Amino acid sequence: MKIAAIAAAMLLAASLPARAADVTADDTARFLAGMPPSADSPLTPLTKDPAWQRHARFFDTAFAQLEQRQVSKIRTWAAANLAAPRPTMFYMFSGPDFLYADAFYSKATTYVLSALEPPGSVPDLTRLPRGGVGAALYDVERSLGSILSFSFFITKRMKVDLRAGQLNGTLPILYVFLARSGKTIRNVSPVAIDDKGTAYFANENPGPNAVRGVRIVFAGSDGVEKTLYYFSTDLSDPGVKASGFLKFCATLAPGNSLIKSASYLLYSGNFTTVRDFILANSATIIQDDSGIPLGYYSAKKWRFFPFGRYAGPIAEFPGRYQESYAELFRRAQPMDFGIGYRWRTHESNLLLSVRLPDDGSAGPETTSSTDAPPSPKPPRSRTPRPPAPVEPQPRSFFWFSR
């Protein structure tokens, strides 16, 4: 009996490290997203917790409503208007918003997201203290509240939410969006960029001013392997000039760009470097009016396809109204989804800008739309004012309830 007891103890001890190793990133992502992990995952017993079951019901409802109301319509719009997207897509000022990156540019194979928020980490959820799982799941729900309701993260609130609780940073949110977008995570690793734009994926020293982030290798239902980069970096002129972030991005260019709910930072003279990079390295740019002001586009290099209605900035961003934008959108095509700070469908605007070949003729990325207006001559360039240090505030209305 003693020998049997010792053998049993040794077997249990040997099984503990293997148990931790079996908690894969994909199972963790599915668990956080309220989706069942694989049957043999150590996380599967935790799905019997009433807190997880409530969380799963909440996310099932919220994401089903979001899919019907908006995301499926964005995919339809993108399929109709983006004829030949590039393999790379850039999403500056994104936060952890892979959901809309994938919805607009589902055919990309490399996604580069960047914002100030740190990537953070996801602990082994099987080792959380009693009651810790329910608290962690609530933190995830709270962090996603504004984007599920309004299509954008509220920056001030996100800074608090992504630093609270057992889960921190953007990685848990990226996990949820990947899982709910039908992706399978194959590998997750830290990444750092030195001042020359060289990426480091192991423990090498990238030197001072390194930009740090995470690389996620994943696949969709078709099995095609793709890469998502998220970098925590300062995109202001002093920040990008001191780092190699844009040099790294240049190795993946040209690509396509998405700019959404960007606090009108690209109107400012303090973000000229990243603005110039986007214009120089994008084949197409999809933006709401918080993106690049129309006057910075060259009418000889771009063709514009406006959609929706331009109602001007919300009250929290005074002084950002563009007469040239209003003129362009007088002949805009309709769209059936909301996006950006004016998230209601009848108030939203979206501008698709397509770069023309050097000879000025329409290139392979040209939208399939045929009745868009010609590119207007941009207004005389003026020095734009820096944006006021204010943030959009949510309204009390939510699309879903708990």
Side-chain angles (χ1 to χ4, degrees), residues 265-301:
L265 294 174
L266 294 171
Y267 285 48
S268 166
N270 199 35
F271 289 85
T272 59
T273 305
V274 69
R275 184 176 64 215
D276 291 346
F277 176 89
I278 294 171
L279 288 170
N281 293 277
S282 302
T284 63
I285 301 174
I286 296 173
Q287 67 171 55
D288 61 19
D289 65 287
S290 74
I292 298 174
L294 198 61
Y296 290 105
Y297 287 89
S298 167
K300 294 180 179 179
K301 295 182 179 180

mmCIF file of all heavy atoms in Angstrom, residues 265-301:
data_model
loop_
_atom_site.group_PDB
_atom_site.id
_atom_site.type_symbol
_atom_site.label_atom_id
_atom_site.label_comp_id
_atom_site.label_asym_id
_atom_site.label_seq_id
_atom_site.Cartn_x
_atom_site.Cartn_y
_atom_site.Cartn_z
ATOM 1 N N LEU A 265 -6.414 63.174 -33.720
ATOM 2 C CA LEU A 265 -5.004 63.448 -33.473
ATOM 3 C C LEU A 265 -4.248 63.782 -34.755
ATOM 4 O O LEU A 265 -3.287 64.558 -34.736
ATOM 5 C CB LEU A 265 -4.348 62.242 -32.796
ATOM 6 C CG LEU A 265 -4.844 61.920 -31.382
ATOM 7 C CD1 LEU A 265 -4.220 60.629 -30.879
ATOM 8 C CD2 LEU A 265 -4.531 63.068 -30.430
ATOM 9 N N LEU A 266 -4.680 63.225 -35.876
ATOM 10 C CA LEU A 266 -3.987 63.470 -37.140
ATOM 11 C C LEU A 266 -4.272 64.863 -37.704
ATOM 12 O O LEU A 266 -3.706 65.249 -38.719
ATOM 13 C CB LEU A 266 -4.354 62.389 -38.153
ATOM 14 C CG LEU A 266 -3.851 60.992 -37.773
ATOM 15 C CD1 LEU A 266 -4.418 59.933 -38.690
ATOM 16 C CD2 LEU A 266 -2.331 60.945 -37.798
ATOM 17 N N TYR A 267 -5.122 65.625 -37.059
ATOM 18 C CA TYR A 267 -5.311 67.035 -37.385
ATOM 19 C C TYR A 267 -4.179 67.864 -36.783
ATOM 20 O O TYR A 267 -3.972 69.006 -37.159
ATOM 21 C CB TYR A 267 -6.630 67.546 -36.805
ATOM 22 C CG TYR A 267 -7.886 67.107 -37.520
ATOM 23 C CD1 TYR A 267 -8.106 65.784 -37.860
ATOM 24 C CD2 TYR A 267 -8.879 68.028 -37.842
ATOM 25 C CE1 TYR A 267 -9.262 65.376 -38.492
ATOM 26 C CE2 TYR A 267 -10.053 67.640 -38.479
ATOM 27 C CZ TYR A 267 -10.235 66.304 -38.797
ATOM 28 O OH TYR A 267 -11.382 65.914 -39.430
ATOM 29 N N SER A 268 -3.463 67.293 -35.834
ATOM 30 C CA SER A 268 -2.486 68.034 -35.047
ATOM 31 C C SER A 268 -1.124 68.073 -35.726
ATOM 32 O O SER A 268 -0.715 67.137 -36.418
ATOM 33 C CB SER A 268 -2.352 67.372 -33.668
ATOM 34 O OG SER A 268 -1.214 67.824 -32.986
ATOM 35 N N GLY A 269 -0.403 69.155 -35.488
ATOM 36 C CA GLY A 269 0.956 69.262 -35.993
ATOM 37 C C GLY A 269 1.934 68.384 -35.240
ATOM 38 O O GLY A 269 3.104 68.297 -35.616
ATOM 39 N N ASN A 270 1.474 67.699 -34.193
ATOM 40 C CA ASN A 270 2.345 66.828 -33.414
ATOM 41 C C ASN A 270 2.299 65.375 -33.879
ATOM 42 O O ASN A 270 2.940 64.515 -33.285
ATOM 43 C CB ASN A 270 1.967 66.902 -31.932
ATOM 44 C CG ASN A 270 3.072 66.424 -31.018
ATOM 45 O OD1 ASN A 270 4.252 66.635 -31.310
ATOM 46 N ND2 ASN A 270 2.716 65.777 -29.927
ATOM 47 N N PHE A 271 1.544 65.091 -34.946
ATOM 48 C CA PHE A 271 1.433 63.723 -35.467
ATOM 49 C C PHE A 271 1.696 63.694 -36.978
ATOM 50 O O PHE A 271 1.134 62.888 -37.701
ATOM 51 C CB PHE A 271 0.049 63.141 -35.159
ATOM 52 C CG PHE A 271 -0.149 62.822 -33.699
ATOM 53 C CD1 PHE A 271 -0.558 63.813 -32.809
ATOM 54 C CD2 PHE A 271 0.082 61.551 -33.209
ATOM 55 C CE1 PHE A 271 -0.726 63.526 -31.466
ATOM 56 C CE2 PHE A 271 -0.092 61.254 -31.862
ATOM 57 C CZ PHE A 271 -0.497 62.246 -30.983
ATOM 58 N N THR A 272 2.574 64.582 -37.437
ATOM 59 C CA THR A 272 2.829 64.673 -38.875
ATOM 60 C C THR A 272 3.577 63.452 -39.410
ATOM 61 O O THR A 272 3.355 63.030 -40.545
ATOM 62 C CB THR A 272 3.648 65.939 -39.186
ATOM 63 O OG1 THR A 272 4.893 65.883 -38.465
ATOM 64 C CG2 THR A 272 2.891 67.194 -38.780
ATOM 65 N N THR A 273 4.460 62.867 -38.609
ATOM 66 C CA THR A 273 5.277 61.748 -39.092
ATOM 67 C C THR A 273 4.422 60.527 -39.389
ATOM 68 O O THR A 273 4.549 59.913 -40.452
ATOM 69 C CB THR A 273 6.372 61.393 -38.064
ATOM 70 O OG1 THR A 273 7.134 62.565 -37.766
ATOM 71 C CG2 THR A 273 7.292 60.323 -38.621
ATOM 72 N N VAL A 274 3.558 60.159 -38.464
ATOM 73 C CA VAL A 274 2.712 58.986 -38.699
ATOM 74 C C VAL A 274 1.681 59.276 -39.786
ATOM 75 O O VAL A 274 1.331 58.399 -40.579
ATOM 76 C CB VAL A 274 2.051 58.512 -37.383
ATOM 77 C CG1 VAL A 274 1.004 59.505 -36.879
ATOM 78 C CG2 VAL A 274 1.434 57.126 -37.573
ATOM 79 N N ARG A 275 1.218 60.515 -39.849
ATOM 80 C CA ARG A 275 0.274 60.886 -40.916
ATOM 81 C C ARG A 275 0.938 60.757 -42.284
ATOM 82 O O ARG A 275 0.343 60.178 -43.221
ATOM 83 C CB ARG A 275 -0.207 62.326 -40.695
ATOM 84 C CG ARG A 275 -1.265 62.794 -41.699
ATOM 85 C CD ARG A 275 -1.748 64.186 -41.334
ATOM 86 N NE ARG A 275 -0.672 65.171 -41.430
ATOM 87 C CZ ARG A 275 -0.545 66.211 -40.611
ATOM 88 N NH1 ARG A 275 -1.405 66.406 -39.625
ATOM 89 N NH2 ARG A 275 0.438 67.071 -40.778
ATOM 90 N N ASP A 276 2.157 61.253 -42.406
ATOM 91 C CA ASP A 276 2.876 61.147 -43.680
ATOM 92 C C ASP A 276 3.174 59.688 -44.027
ATOM 93 O O ASP A 276 3.141 59.305 -45.200
ATOM 94 C CB ASP A 276 4.184 61.937 -43.612
ATOM 95 C CG ASP A 276 3.957 63.445 -43.559
ATOM 96 O OD1 ASP A 276 2.822 63.882 -43.850
ATOM 97 O OD2 ASP A 276 4.909 64.178 -43.218
ATOM 98 N N PHE A 277 3.465 58.877 -43.013
ATOM 99 C CA PHE A 277 3.723 57.456 -43.275
ATOM 100 C C PHE A 277 2.486 56.774 -43.840
ATOM 101 O O PHE A 277 2.565 56.014 -44.814
ATOM 102 C CB PHE A 277 4.163 56.742 -41.993
ATOM 103 C CG PHE A 277 4.359 55.265 -42.190
ATOM 104 C CD1 PHE A 277 5.585 54.765 -42.595
ATOM 105 C CD2 PHE A 277 3.306 54.379 -41.989
ATOM 106 C CE1 PHE A 277 5.758 53.400 -42.804
ATOM 107 C CE2 PHE A 277 3.479 53.015 -42.194
ATOM 108 C CZ PHE A 277 4.700 52.523 -42.600
ATOM 109 N N ILE A 278 1.344 57.036 -43.243
ATOM 110 C CA ILE A 278 0.107 56.412 -43.723
ATOM 111 C C ILE A 278 -0.167 56.803 -45.164
ATOM 112 O O ILE A 278 -0.492 55.958 -46.018
ATOM 113 C CB ILE A 278 -1.075 56.800 -42.815
ATOM 114 C CG1 ILE A 278 -0.886 56.214 -41.411
ATOM 115 C CG2 ILE A 278 -2.399 56.321 -43.415
ATOM 116 C CD1 ILE A 278 -1.887 56.731 -40.390
ATOM 117 N N LEU A 279 -0.025 58.078 -45.485
ATOM 118 C CA LEU A 279 -0.292 58.548 -46.848
ATOM 119 C C LEU A 279 0.706 57.968 -47.844
ATOM 120 O O LEU A 279 0.349 57.669 -48.992
ATOM 121 C CB LEU A 279 -0.235 60.073 -46.886
ATOM 122 C CG LEU A 279 -1.397 60.807 -46.208
ATOM 123 C CD1 LEU A 279 -1.102 62.297 -46.109
ATOM 124 C CD2 LEU A 279 -2.710 60.573 -46.967
ATOM 125 N N ALA A 280 1.953 57.794 -47.437
ATOM 126 C CA ALA A 280 2.985 57.320 -48.360
ATOM 127 C C ALA A 280 2.997 55.809 -48.520
ATOM 128 O O ALA A 280 3.522 55.296 -49.516
ATOM 129 C CB ALA A 280 4.361 57.790 -47.878
ATOM 130 N N ASN A 281 2.411 55.069 -47.568
ATOM 131 C CA ASN A 281 2.563 53.617 -47.564
ATOM 132 C C ASN A 281 1.243 52.861 -47.610
ATOM 133 O O ASN A 281 1.213 51.668 -47.299
ATOM 134 C CB ASN A 281 3.352 53.189 -46.323
ATOM 135 C CG ASN A 281 4.792 53.649 -46.353
ATOM 136 O OD1 ASN A 281 5.649 53.015 -46.957
ATOM 137 N ND2 ASN A 281 5.061 54.781 -45.698
ATOM 138 N N SER A 282 0.186 53.524 -48.025
ATOM 139 C CA SER A 282 -1.125 52.885 -48.092
ATOM 140 C C SER A 282 -1.654 52.855 -49.517
ATOM 141 O O SER A 282 -1.594 53.867 -50.224
ATOM 142 C CB SER A 282 -2.134 53.613 -47.196
ATOM 143 O OG SER A 282 -1.703 53.642 -45.851
ATOM 144 N N ALA A 283 -2.163 51.705 -49.922
ATOM 145 C CA ALA A 283 -2.840 51.595 -51.216
ATOM 146 C C ALA A 283 -4.285 52.042 -51.101
ATOM 147 O O ALA A 283 -4.849 52.617 -52.027
ATOM 148 C CB ALA A 283 -2.772 50.158 -51.729
ATOM 149 N N THR A 284 -4.892 51.776 -49.954
ATOM 150 C CA THR A 284 -6.227 52.272 -49.645
ATOM 151 C C THR A 284 -6.232 52.729 -48.196
ATOM 152 O O THR A 284 -5.491 52.202 -47.358
ATOM 153 C CB THR A 284 -7.320 51.197 -49.834
ATOM 154 O OG1 THR A 284 -7.090 50.122 -48.910
ATOM 155 C CG2 THR A 284 -7.340 50.649 -51.249
ATOM 156 N N ILE A 285 -7.068 53.698 -47.902
ATOM 157 C CA ILE A 285 -7.268 54.169 -46.534
ATOM 158 C C ILE A 285 -8.766 54.230 -46.283
ATOM 159 O O ILE A 285 -9.505 54.878 -47.027
ATOM 160 C CB ILE A 285 -6.645 55.555 -46.293
ATOM 161 C CG1 ILE A 285 -5.139 55.532 -46.565
ATOM 162 C CG2 ILE A 285 -6.919 56.024 -44.869
ATOM 163 C CD1 ILE A 285 -4.486 56.914 -46.495
ATOM 164 N N ILE A 286 -9.199 53.535 -45.257
ATOM 165 C CA ILE A 286 -10.589 53.633 -44.803
ATOM 166 C C ILE A 286 -10.570 54.434 -43.513
ATOM 167 O O ILE A 286 -9.848 54.096 -42.568
ATOM 168 C CB ILE A 286 -11.195 52.244 -44.558
ATOM 169 C CG1 ILE A 286 -11.276 51.438 -45.863
ATOM 170 C CG2 ILE A 286 -12.582 52.366 -43.945
ATOM 171 C CD1 ILE A 286 -11.714 50.003 -45.662
ATOM 172 N N GLN A 287 -11.354 55.498 -43.452
ATOM 173 C CA GLN A 287 -11.358 56.333 -42.258
ATOM 174 C C GLN A 287 -12.715 56.965 -42.048
ATOM 175 O O GLN A 287 -13.493 57.148 -42.990
ATOM 176 C CB GLN A 287 -10.300 57.427 -42.360
ATOM 177 C CG GLN A 287 -10.578 58.463 -43.449
ATOM 178 C CD GLN A 287 -9.633 59.665 -43.373
ATOM 179 O OE1 GLN A 287 -8.425 59.512 -43.393
ATOM 180 N NE2 GLN A 287 -10.201 60.860 -43.265
ATOM 181 N N ASP A 288 -13.004 57.300 -40.784
ATOM 182 C CA ASP A 288 -14.080 58.231 -40.512
ATOM 183 C C ASP A 288 -13.465 59.625 -40.478
ATOM 184 O O ASP A 288 -12.269 59.793 -40.744
ATOM 185 C CB ASP A 288 -14.824 57.864 -39.224
ATOM 186 C CG ASP A 288 -13.914 57.887 -37.988
ATOM 187 O OD1 ASP A 288 -12.831 58.504 -38.041
ATOM 188 O OD2 ASP A 288 -14.288 57.280 -36.973
ATOM 189 N N ASP A 289 -14.245 60.637 -40.143
ATOM 190 C CA ASP A 289 -13.717 62.002 -40.247
ATOM 191 C C ASP A 289 -12.709 62.344 -39.160
ATOM 192 O O ASP A 289 -12.095 63.422 -39.195
ATOM 193 C CB ASP A 289 -14.865 63.023 -40.225
ATOM 194 C CG ASP A 289 -15.609 63.032 -38.909
ATOM 195 O OD1 ASP A 289 -16.356 62.070 -38.652
ATOM 196 O OD2 ASP A 289 -15.438 63.984 -38.119
ATOM 197 N N SER A 290 -12.477 61.425 -38.190
ATOM 198 C CA SER A 290 -11.440 61.667 -37.186
ATOM 199 C C SER A 290 -10.056 61.294 -37.706
ATOM 200 O O SER A 290 -9.072 61.419 -36.979
ATOM 201 C CB SER A 290 -11.730 60.859 -35.913
ATOM 202 O OG SER A 290 -11.461 59.475 -36.108
ATOM 203 N N GLY A 291 -9.963 60.833 -38.951
ATOM 204 C CA GLY A 291 -8.696 60.424 -39.540
ATOM 205 C C GLY A 291 -7.914 61.582 -40.125
ATOM 206 O O GLY A 291 -7.807 62.662 -39.532
ATOM 207 N N ILE A 292 -7.394 61.397 -41.323
ATOM 208 C CA ILE A 292 -6.547 62.415 -41.946
ATOM 209 C C ILE A 292 -7.414 63.495 -42.598
ATOM 210 O O ILE A 292 -8.288 63.172 -43.407
ATOM 211 C CB ILE A 292 -5.636 61.777 -43.002
ATOM 212 C CG1 ILE A 292 -4.711 60.749 -42.349
ATOM 213 C CG2 ILE A 292 -4.809 62.838 -43.730
ATOM 214 C CD1 ILE A 292 -3.869 59.952 -43.321
ATOM 215 N N PRO A 293 -7.223 64.765 -42.277
ATOM 216 C CA PRO A 293 -8.001 65.823 -42.927
ATOM 217 C C PRO A 293 -7.825 65.788 -44.445
ATOM 218 O O PRO A 293 -6.745 65.459 -44.964
ATOM 219 C CB PRO A 293 -7.419 67.109 -42.330
ATOM 220 C CG PRO A 293 -6.860 66.687 -41.010
ATOM 221 C CD PRO A 293 -6.335 65.300 -41.227
ATOM 222 N N LEU A 294 -8.864 66.126 -45.139
ATOM 223 C CA LEU A 294 -8.879 66.004 -46.598
ATOM 224 C C LEU A 294 -7.780 66.830 -47.258
ATOM 225 O O LEU A 294 -7.226 66.443 -48.295
ATOM 226 C CB LEU A 294 -10.254 66.433 -47.124
ATOM 227 C CG LEU A 294 -10.623 65.983 -48.535
ATOM 228 C CD1 LEU A 294 -10.641 64.467 -48.633
ATOM 229 C CD2 LEU A 294 -11.978 66.561 -48.929
ATOM 230 N N GLY A 295 -7.438 67.949 -46.661
ATOM 231 C CA GLY A 295 -6.439 68.825 -47.252
ATOM 232 C C GLY A 295 -5.046 68.240 -47.342
ATOM 233 O O GLY A 295 -4.214 68.745 -48.101
ATOM 234 N N TYR A 296 -4.769 67.179 -46.601
ATOM 235 C CA TYR A 296 -3.454 66.549 -46.663
ATOM 236 C C TYR A 296 -3.339 65.515 -47.787
ATOM 237 O O TYR A 296 -2.246 65.038 -48.076
ATOM 238 C CB TYR A 296 -3.114 65.893 -45.321
ATOM 239 C CG TYR A 296 -2.843 66.896 -44.231
ATOM 240 C CD1 TYR A 296 -3.785 67.131 -43.233
ATOM 241 C CD2 TYR A 296 -1.664 67.621 -44.204
ATOM 242 C CE1 TYR A 296 -3.551 68.064 -42.226
ATOM 243 C CE2 TYR A 296 -1.414 68.553 -43.196
ATOM 244 C CZ TYR A 296 -2.362 68.767 -42.214
ATOM 245 O OH TYR A 296 -2.121 69.697 -41.236
ATOM 246 N N TYR A 297 -4.453 65.147 -48.387
ATOM 247 C CA TYR A 297 -4.428 64.238 -49.530
ATOM 248 C C TYR A 297 -4.150 65.036 -50.801
ATOM 249 O O TYR A 297 -4.674 66.138 -50.978
ATOM 250 C CB TYR A 297 -5.781 63.541 -49.708
ATOM 251 C CG TYR A 297 -6.107 62.475 -48.705
ATOM 252 C CD1 TYR A 297 -6.756 62.777 -47.516
ATOM 253 C CD2 TYR A 297 -5.811 61.135 -48.961
ATOM 254 C CE1 TYR A 297 -7.093 61.788 -46.602
ATOM 255 C CE2 TYR A 297 -6.144 60.140 -48.059
ATOM 256 C CZ TYR A 297 -6.784 60.472 -46.885
ATOM 257 O OH TYR A 297 -7.125 59.489 -45.978
ATOM 258 N N SER A 298 -3.361 64.459 -51.692
ATOM 259 C CA SER A 298 -3.157 65.059 -52.999
ATOM 260 C C SER A 298 -4.212 64.521 -53.962
ATOM 261 O O SER A 298 -4.343 63.307 -54.131
ATOM 262 C CB SER A 298 -1.759 64.721 -53.531
ATOM 263 O OG SER A 298 -1.658 65.052 -54.909
ATOM 264 N N ALA A 299 -4.974 65.431 -54.589
ATOM 265 C CA ALA A 299 -6.020 65.002 -55.520
ATOM 266 C C ALA A 299 -5.439 64.288 -56.737
ATOM 267 O O ALA A 299 -6.143 63.554 -57.427
ATOM 268 C CB ALA A 299 -6.839 66.217 -55.961
ATOM 269 N N LYS A 300 -4.139 64.488 -57.013
ATOM 270 C CA LYS A 300 -3.511 63.819 -58.148
ATOM 271 C C LYS A 300 -3.120 62.372 -57.813
ATOM 272 O O LYS A 300 -2.855 61.584 -58.715
ATOM 273 C CB LYS A 300 -2.264 64.586 -58.585
ATOM 274 C CG LYS A 300 -2.567 65.975 -59.141
ATOM 275 C CD LYS A 300 -1.288 66.677 -59.560
ATOM 276 C CE LYS A 300 -1.578 68.068 -60.132
ATOM 277 N NZ LYS A 300 -0.318 68.768 -60.528
ATOM 278 N N LYS A 301 -3.099 62.049 -56.517
ATOM 279 C CA LYS A 301 -2.665 60.716 -56.100
ATOM 280 C C LYS A 301 -3.792 59.849 -55.561
ATOM 281 O O LYS A 301 -3.622 58.639 -55.423
ATOM 282 C CB LYS A 301 -1.574 60.836 -55.029
ATOM 283 C CG LYS A 301 -0.292 61.478 -55.520
ATOM 284 C CD LYS A 301 0.742 61.523 -54.407
ATOM 285 C CE LYS A 301 2.054 62.145 -54.885
ATOM 286 N NZ LYS A 301 3.061 62.193 -53.792
#
